[in-house]
Structures are given as C-alpha cells and as structure tokens.
Amino acid sequence: MPHHGNEEEHNTSTDHDRAGQKGDSHEPVIRDNRKVDPVTGQARHPEGGSSSHGAGAASGTDSDGDALAQAEEILNGVEVPAEESVAQGAAGTGSANAEAAELRNDLLRLQAEYVNYRKRVERDRAVAGEMAVIGVLNSLLPVLDDVDAARQHGDLADGPFAAIATKLENALKTYGLVRIDETGVEFDPTIHEALIQQPGEDIEVDTVSQVLRSGYKSGERVLRAAQVIVAVPA
C-alpha cells in the first residue's frame, strides 16, 4: 500500500494507533467493597487494612479465649478458707439431718397410725365374732329351757332324745356358754333375778335357795340372769 508523506511520521502514527488499541484492549477492574462476605457471612475490611484488621480480629479472638482461660484458671485456683468450707459443710449437714429427722418422724407417725388401725380392726373383728356367737346362743336359749323342762319331768331320763340334748349342751359349751344354776350361793344382782324372797334360818346374807329358771353367760357377758328364790336373814 503506497504511503504519502514522510515515512518516519507514518511509522510514528502507526505505533501510536497500535498503542491506543492495546490500551483500549485492557479488561476493567472490579473492586468488591462490601463489608460483609456474601459467602461466609463474616465481616471484612476494605483493602489496605484487611490484613492488619484481620490480624487484629484474629488476635482479639485469641486474646478473648486466653482471657477466659485465664479467668477459669484463676477461679479454679482460688482456695476457700477452711473456716468457710467447714461452715458450708456444717450447713449442708445440718439441713440433711433436719430433713432426715423430719422424714423419720413422719415414718414413726405413719407406723403408729398403722399399728392403731390394725389393733382397732382386730378388736372390731373380735367383737363382731363375739356378737355373732352371742346372737346364736341367745336364739338357742328357749331350746335349752325346753330341754331343762323335759329333764325335770323325766322325759329325757333315757333314750335317743336324751343323747341329742346332751350333745347340744356340750356343743354350746365349746362356744363359751356357761349355765347359771347354782344354789346356796350369795345373791348377786348382776347374774340373779330375785322373784321371791323368803326368810331363812342360820343365814347372814341373802342366799339363793332355789333356781326357777337357769341363767346363762358367755365369758364375762351375762346373756340372761337366773330367776331365783332368795332366802333372807330372819
């Protein structure tokens, strides 16, 4: 391609054009000035002070950790005076002893209540059983009166009915039935019912001279008083 003018000027202009083109071909530089890293979420510092600030932050974190460790060492190394330790131990022991004493008292109270309850139940059970027996004996007293009347009239002198009457009386004795039919004993208003009084000879106190109807008792309980004739001093 022909050139016009000075060749040196043409070469110089050509070099300037190439330099301009080369300068224009550089890619733009993008700087990220955000204060928070979008990936890690940690705070960061702008360029120029990042290294120093980062180092400072790292050293700050380390210093905080060291401070906590030192504080723990100091606290662990503090010795409690012997008097204070003994006082704390005595307070804890006293509280434990008080609680143990309270629990022991509660246990003793519950035990006493249980013992009283068991005694009351056993006593009520015994009374209930005794009342049941007494009820049966009272219901059989008229039968025993008929047996006595038949024996007095000679109807039970011998024979199978006499044996049955004897077995009945013996069976009732096993349940504590006691007949009240003694004569010549001192009159006792708790077991005797005086229907007739007659003056007697050679007696100093009221005495049972004859039993009109036998009485019965079970243990210390009188089921029926004996109806008697009483001889009184003349």
Side-chain angles (χ1 to χ4, degrees):
M1 183 174 181
H3 299 283
H4 299 282
N6 190 353
E7 184 176 357
E8 184 176 357
E9 294 177 357
H10 177 71
N11 292 334
T12 302
S13 63
T14 302
D15 293 336
H16 282 292
D17 293 338
R18 291 178 179 177
Q21 292 176 358
K22 185 175 180 181
D24 294 338
S25 64
H26 286 316
E27 297 179 357
V29 178
I30 300 175
R31 300 183 183 276
D32 190 356
N33 294 326
R34 288 178 290 183
K35 296 182 179 181
V36 179
D37 192 339
V39 177
T40 62
Q42 298 180 354
R44 62 185 182 180
H45 302 280
E47 293 183 0
S50 60
S51 59
S52 62
H53 287 290
S59 64
T61 304
D62 295 339
S63 63
D64 292 341
D66 294 339
L68 292 175
Q70 293 176 1
E72 291 179 357
E73 292 179 359
I74 293 173
L75 291 176
N76 293 330
V78 173
E79 295 183 358
V80 179
E83 295 79 3
E84 184 177 355
S85 178
V86 171
Q88 292 177 357
T93 304
S95 177
N97 291 336
E99 184 177 359
E102 184 178 359
L103 293 176
R104 183 174 180 273
N105 292 333
D106 292 340
L107 179 60
L108 292 176
R109 183 168 57 255
L110 290 175
Q111 184 178 6
E113 291 178 357
Y114 173 73
V115 171
N116 294 333
Y117 169 76
R118 185 178 62 182
K119 290 181 179 179
R120 184 169 62 254
V121 169
E122 292 177 355
R123 182 173 61 252
D124 294 343
R125 186 180 301 170
V127 171
E130 182 180 359
M131 294 304 298
V133 172
I134 290 174
V136 174
L137 296 178
N138 284 328
S139 64
L140 293 176
L141 293 183
V143 178
L144 296 177
D145 292 339
D146 293 340
V147 170
D148 289 341
R151 184 177 286 115
Q152 290 177 2
H153 287 82
D155 296 336
L156 294 179
D158 196 4
F161 290 104
I164 293 173
T166 302
K167 289 180 180 180
L168 175 62
E169 292 173 345
N170 292 333
L172 294 179
K173 288 180 181 180
T174 60
Y175 289 96
L177 184 65
V178 178
R179 184 190 295 268
I180 304 173
D181 58 354
E182 295 180 352
T183 59
V185 297
E186 184 178 355
F187 175 78
D188 186 355
T190 60
I191 60 175
H192 298 137
E193 180 184 359
L195 298 181
I196 302 174
Q197 290 184 351
Q198 296 176 345
E201 298 179 356
D202 300 332
I203 59 173
E204 297 179 357
V205 295
D206 295 347
T207 304
V208 176
S209 59
Q210 183 179 354
V211 176
L212 302 178
R213 189 182 68 174
S214 298
Y216 294 93
K217 66 179 182 178
S218 176
E220 299 298 330
R221 182 186 295 272
V222 178
L223 303 181
R224 189 182 69 185
Q227 294 180 351
V228 297
I229 298 176
V230 180
V232 297

